[in-house]
Amino acid sequence: MKKILLFMETYSLPLIGGILAALLWANLDYFSYSAFVHYKFFGGVDSHFIVNEVFLVLFFGLISIEIVHEFSPQGNLHPLDKALTNILAALGGVIFPIVLFGLLNFGLGEERFSAGWAIATATDVAVALLFARFVFPKGHPAFVFLLFLAVVDDFIGLGIIALFYPSPDQPLVPWFLLLVLLAMGMSYVLRRRGGSSFYPYMLPAVVSWVGMFGAGLHPALALVWIVPFMRDGKSHSLPLHKLEHFLTPIVTWGLFFFGLVNAGVVINNLSTLSLIIFLSLCLGKTLGIFGFTKVAYALRLTRGRKLCNRDLLLIGLVASVGLTVSLFIADIAYTDEALKDAAKMGALLSLLCGALAVGVAKIWKPKK
């Protein structure tokens, strides 16, 4: 049984299962699917709220833990000059999709599409690494490059969500952000006091959530401001490692419900917006990562072995799978349900980039 569960976690089957279930349900009976998503348990709390406003706190918290690990003195992205190539590659994988989205929208789209510019900047780390398993042989340096690139991409993505995407249903009330500052102060005091438990940090996490929700910003980032204050290091008895161990299975299996609640779009909602997002992800990510990495190579910023052009193009294609974060941004970028569904279709189509990478790799095999 443990082997089966490990297999399902390794291959992101809960998330993929939730997406498939949502697509099937929505296209067979959209009325009952919509009723499930928007069913009010109490007050204004429905399934969508529980997943996107509460569960995603844990998801983005886990992402921020990985970022802290990698940028810590013991991490692979420390010091920064060691990671300049990955940072440049991640920047290329963000800037190119934004530019391409703007150009495609100018030529093919409408002004009302413009709010979704950030949908194409995301990389789903877990699913990208899943496709990479089928693209590159075991032990290939592309895995390390892709992982570090995705960590930097996540760091940029969290900043984009925090700065440019306030909660669509809440008016901006900036003074509530004082609660976020209070939560950070509480976390600093807890760090100074020491201790090995992560539970005391949950109080400032709740304060941070209330502050962000009250301010009109998306509360899914509540843990992002708390995690950097938790002690990290080689010892697994430290709070950050314990929190990571606690969150990993919850997030992995909880992504089934994220997929179920967010991926239920009717196939005929495919539109020009879907195409723009798909092309911005597929072409923008691939060209951006490839181009900026080649610039880093030309500037001699890379230590150790360089990846060949073939490997970089395959990495770009694999990193084009936006999925989880793209679906989340699509959900908060638009208030119009038709645009929201069309944007989600574009995010779901990004799975084809991973499948394309697998197909290309079968013909154009990466070197061992």
Side-chain angles (χ1 to χ4, degrees), residues 132-143 305-315 357 360-368:
R133 290 172 180 266
F134 298 100
V135 172
F136 299 103
K138 190 175 181 180
H140 196 284
F143 285 100
R305 177 186 168 184
K306 296 178 182 178
L307 294 164
C308 67
N309 292 341
R310 173 174 48 193
D311 291 340
L312 288 174
L313 287 172
L314 288 172
I315 287 171
V360 170
K362 294 295 181 184
I363 303 168
W364 198 15
K365 292 183 179 179
K367 294 179 181 179
K368 292 185 179 179

Side-chain angles (χ1 to χ4, degrees), residues 216-238:
L217 301 177
H218 209 286
L221 301 182
L223 257 179
V224 171
W225 317 112
I226 307 303
V227 163
F229 291 97
M230 302 176 74
R231 289 196 301 140
D232 188 23
K234 294 182 179 180
S235 172
H236 287 269
S237 64
L238 292 173

Side-chain angles (χ1 to χ4, degrees), residues 117-247:
W117 60 270
I119 297 170
T121 64
T123 294
D124 189 307
V125 183
V127 181
L129 288 172
L130 169 62
F131 278 113
R133 290 172 180 266
F134 298 100
V135 172
F136 299 103
K138 190 175 181 180
H140 196 284
F143 285 100
V144 178
F145 186 92
L146 178 61
L147 177 61
F148 297 165
L149 182 154
V151 169
V152 178
D153 185 277
D154 283 337
F155 181 77
I156 297 171
L158 293 177
I160 288 173
I161 294 169
L163 292 174
F164 298 102
Y165 288 99
S167 181
D169 302 320
Q170 292 281 108
L172 288 174
V173 186
W175 70 264
F176 262 98
L177 292 177
L178 293 174
L179 288 178
V180 180
L181 291 176
L182 173 62
M184 294 169 72
M186 294 166 66
S187 302
Y188 174 75
V189 171
L190 288 171
R191 181 188 179 94
R192 295 279 295 181
R193 290 182 61 186
S196 62
S197 176
F198 66 85
Y199 289 110
Y201 289 90
M202 294 303 99
L203 177 58
V206 171
V207 174
S208 175
W209 190 94
V210 172
M212 295 200 70
F213 184 79
L217 301 177
H218 209 286
L221 301 182
L223 257 179
V224 171
W225 317 112
I226 307 303
V227 163
F229 291 97
M230 302 176 74
R231 289 196 301 140
D232 188 23
K234 294 182 179 180
S235 172
H236 287 269
S237 64
L238 292 173
L240 199 63
H241 282 282
K242 286 187 174 181
L243 179 61
E244 181 180 26
H245 182 73
F246 175 77
L247 290 182

